[in-house]
Amino acid sequence: MSKKNKKRICIIGMPGSGKSTIGRILSEKLNYKFIDTDNLIEKNTKLKIKEIFETKGETYFRILETEALKKQVGFNNIVISTGGGIVIHNGDILSNFYNIYLNCDLETLISRASRNKSRPLLTSNIRKKMLNLFNERKELYNNISDLKINASDDISETIEKILEFLKDD
Ligand code: S3P
């Protein structure tokens, strides 16, 4: 198999794993363009993700999510932070990117999600729902990822680790 182009980076992982923050900082360090698929969807629809789920449903959101990702194919020097569910339907599109999986321990994910009420899939019974999402998706994250990084630690340490991996060929 030919080597993946590390200049087209997608950040994947569970909600609360730090995809947006880490993706943004990484893009700045690399001097790459930064895209956050959720932000792009919100900008294009002028609706919050939560409102899209409430008024149009998850299926509609997933279509917008696929479109947002598809638009980035072919660009170099780009870091894309994705929503936690991007791996459900988009394995083919993701194969165009170097996918970095931010693997975070469940307690950290649960405590972060408990402080942020903007996630429509995690508004109540957060522990149970987080566990269900993780069990449904862990295999997808593992299979799709080109690099799996422990992201439970300090953000700057996580970024340093990623930069090290991007260096070697
Ligand atoms: C989702 C995660 C969210 C957002 C939407 C659906 C998911 O993004 O895309 O609420 O299915 O896990 P984050 O992973 O940034 O929270």
Side-chain angles (χ1 to χ4, degrees):
M1 210 177 83
S2 63
K3 266 198 168 177
K4 281 278 188 80
N5 183 341
K6 293 182 182 174
K7 293 184 170 186
R8 307 165 175 175
I9 297 169
C10 242
I11 312 283
I12 60 171
M14 289 286 285
S17 56
K19 300 182 295 292
S20 301
T21 309
I22 289 174
R24 180 180 301 281
I25 299 172
L26 190 65
S27 73
E28 286 164 6
K29 298 249 179 204
L30 293 166
N31 208 11
Y32 286 4
K33 183 178 175 187
F34 176 68
I35 294 280
D36 181 305
T37 53
D38 279 351
N39 286 351
L40 189 61
I41 292 167
E42 289 189 337
K43 194 173 145 219
N44 289 344
T45 59
K46 300 188 174 60
L47 292 170
K48 292 283 171 204
I49 300 297
K50 204 173 179 183
E51 292 170 323
I52 300 173
F53 270 72
E54 282 165 4
T55 59
K56 317 246 183 184
E58 181 172 349
T59 307
Y60 184 74
F61 169 77
R62 296 296 172 205
I63 294 168
L64 298 181
E65 189 174 45
T66 298
E67 280 172 5
L69 182 66
K70 217 184 234 171
K71 279 201 190 119
Q72 314 313 323
V73 173
F75 290 106
N76 265 332
N77 302 342
I78 189 167
V79 177
I80 305 161
S81 289
T82 60
I86 200 106
V87 291
I88 305 170
H89 300 296
N90 302 301
D92 279 4
I93 307 175
L94 287 167
S95 66
N96 291 287
F97 298 97
Y98 184 77
N99 297 296
I100 302 178
Y101 169 26
L102 301 184
N103 185 36
C104 207
D105 70 73
L106 273 166
E107 290 310 318
T108 306
L109 295 176
I110 291 163
S111 98
R112 286 181 188 165
S114 305
R115 281 183 263 129
N116 178 344
K117 299 288 175 218
S118 67
R119 295 188 172 96
L121 297 179
L122 294 164
T123 50
S124 60
N125 295 325
I126 293 175
R127 176 171 293 275
K128 185 163 174 260
K129 287 183 182 163
M130 190 68 93
L131 202 61
N132 286 344
L133 289 181
F134 181 68
N135 285 328
E136 281 163 23
R137 296 173 179 174
K138 61 183 174 202
E139 211 174 300
L140 292 169
Y141 291 133
N142 279 320
N143 289 345
I144 289 171
S145 67
D146 298 292
L147 174 64
K148 181 175 176 176
I149 284 280
N150 176 358
S152 307
D153 313 330
D154 182 66
I155 285 181
S156 46
E157 266 178 49
T158 306
I159 290 169
E160 286 311 313
K161 276 190 275 177
I162 295 174
L163 288 170
E164 266 312 300
F165 275 104
L166 293 178
K167 248 192 243 163
D168 49 71
D169 246 70

